[in-house]
Amino acid sequence: MTIAIIGGSGFLGRNVALRLLAHGETPLVVHRGNEPANLPDAVRIAHADRTDEAALTDLFRQHDVSVVIDIYALSLGNTQAVINAARAVNARYILTSSVDVYANYEGLLKKGAPEIRLAPADEDAPLRTMRYPYRGNSRRPQGVSEDLFDNYDKIVIEDAVRAAGMDFVILRPPMIFGVADKQRRFGWVADNARGDTFAMDERAYGWLNSYAYVEDIAEAFVLAALHPKASRRTYNVGQNFVRPAADWARLLLPMLGSSAEVTAAPAGEGIWADRAEAMDLRYPLTLDTSRIRTELGFAEIVDETAALEKTLHSYTISQD
């Protein structure tokens, strides 16, 4: 049995490969070869374009692939070939979905006015009714082509996977932090850890948002790949608690050597004022992760303090 990782040379994919090695598996990382994978020699490497169905199918057959972990599924256009190739070899297909499928995300982006759901979303919570959330939205992750994000929608991909008549697992993570995260999920704290006061726009001060450490998310992918009970199931994955944004700042600032007091500033002032203007932060973006913990036995593998310290340290190194 071979577990293939499509997009396995980047932030999340590399960590999934390392966790598979830790579980005694020999993963096959498939990427375009535009940059080095920087993985141990025990990881097999192959080069292919994720939109080339024939090449992927041949590669999966050559390596006797039984599970395909798809890290970089952003639109159906850049994903259908991977789904088809996995189905052609009867492999389990694991989709990296997102917390952004839930209805609160629609309200957060001011794309609609769904009911504000304060409780963390479980897997049966209402989904967005609008599609393609980044169209007309200038606040989007960096480093991805405009065309790809115009057609970004995890709900569309989830629907296609469920309709494909194959074995699958869908994982819905929140914002992922860790070493080499290009999004710098806690950069908003690290970049403002100076002075005696850490003043946040009052609208952002209490915003609730789920996070997860990349190595812990990688462990969830291993469980999804190997556990028989995971077949055709959808799982939220992330920390099993949430903190208001202000409490995240209070936790992180001492790790950065700051004793600043975290305070609420008037609307339109302070840290995250731009985010509070662009988004409706009355909508939490939080996950209930009890299903994957109960059914698959998922638990974090890295102590939270150690994970945060490694992440923050990587910010300082990248700036040197």
Side-chain angles (χ1 to χ4, degrees):
M1 179 182 79
T2 297
I3 299 174
I5 308 170
I6 310 300
S9 62
F11 172 58
L12 176 55
R14 182 177 185 278
N15 279 279
V16 172
L18 294 175
R19 288 308 303 161
L20 285 167
L21 284 178
H23 280 262
E25 303 293 332
T26 303
L28 170 69
V29 165
V30 181
H31 68 118
R32 291 174 298 175
N34 291 345
E35 53 189 50
N38 295 321
L39 285 162
D41 292 341
V43 177
R44 288 177 286 177
I45 304 293
H47 296 153
D49 190 303
R50 61 176 291 117
T51 62
D52 189 336
E53 181 181 335
L56 291 173
T57 302
D58 288 346
L59 195 60
F60 294 166
R61 287 190 174 127
Q62 176 186 344
H63 290 275
D64 193 24
V65 169
S66 59
V67 179
V68 175
I69 298 176
D70 195 355
I71 300 296
Y72 201 63
L74 299 181
S75 71
L76 190 57
N78 94 318
T79 304
Q80 189 68 65
V82 185
I83 296 171
N84 293 348
R87 181 176 56 193
V89 299
N90 296 315
R92 172 178 288 184
Y93 175 80
I94 301 177
L95 171 65
T96 308
S97 189
S98 170
V99 64
D100 70 26
V101 300
Y102 292 110
N104 269 8
Y105 194 65
E106 184 172 342
L108 182 70
L109 293 185
K110 299 183 177 180
K111 297 280 190 175
E115 175 187 352
I116 298 173
R117 297 180 180 274
L118 298 178
D122 64 21
E123 291 83 354
D124 298 318
L127 304 184
R128 286 185 276 108
T129 59
M130 53 84 72
R131 296 293 180 266
Y132 308 109
Y134 286 113
R135 289 183 180 176
N137 180 5
S138 61
R139 297 183 67 88
R140 54 177 68 184
Q142 301 300 306
V144 178
S145 70
E146 293 292 316
D147 177 69
L148 194 52
F149 259 115
D150 279 344
N151 294 300
Y152 170 98
D153 200 318
K154 298 288 190 176
I155 295 177
V156 174
I157 305 173
E158 286 192 9
D159 289 345
V161 170
R162 292 192 182 94
M166 62 192 299
D167 189 10
F168 69 85
V169 186
I170 294 171
L171 295 183
R172 294 171 174 167
M175 291 186 181
I176 303 173
F177 66 91
V179 176
D181 167 28
K182 294 179 180 179
Q183 305 300 323
R184 298 180 76 247
R185 294 301 187 186
F186 295 121
W188 61 277
V189 181
D191 296 342
N192 294 286
R194 53 186 179 275
D196 297 327
T197 303
F198 188 92
M200 300 182 64
D201 186 300
E202 62 185 3
R203 296 167 294 178
Y205 185 86
W207 185 53
L208 296 171
N209 180 45
S210 288
Y211 289 96
Y213 182 55
V214 65
E215 293 181 41
D216 297 327
I217 293 292
E219 179 71 8
F221 274 91
V222 174
L223 291 173
L226 299 177
H227 206 300
K229 290 184 179 180
S231 179
R232 301 185 68 85
R233 296 291 280 163
T234 299
Y235 296 106
N236 294 337
V237 59
Q239 294 175 322
N240 61 352
F241 58 87
V242 294
R243 293 188 180 97
D247 285 352
W248 276 108
R250 292 189 180 98
L251 176 66
L252 296 172
L253 284 168
M255 296 182 186
L256 294 160
S258 171
S259 58
E261 179 185 4
V262 180
T263 62
E269 299 180 16
I271 295 160
W272 268 6
D274 58 339
R275 179 171 295 199
E277 287 294 327
M279 298 180 172
D280 187 343
L281 297 181
R282 296 176 302 161
Y283 288 89
L285 203 58
T286 55
L287 293 174
D288 178 337
T289 63
S290 56
R291 177 186 288 181
I292 194 170
R293 295 172 187 276
T294 300
E295 294 187 5
L296 306 188
F298 170 75
E300 284 76 9
I301 61 171
V302 180
D303 171 76
E304 185 194 26
T305 298
L308 291 169
E309 288 177 344
K310 287 172 65 175
T311 300
L312 295 175
H313 181 64
S314 72
Y315 294 172
T316 61
I317 290 177
S318 65
Q319 293 175 348
D320 290 344

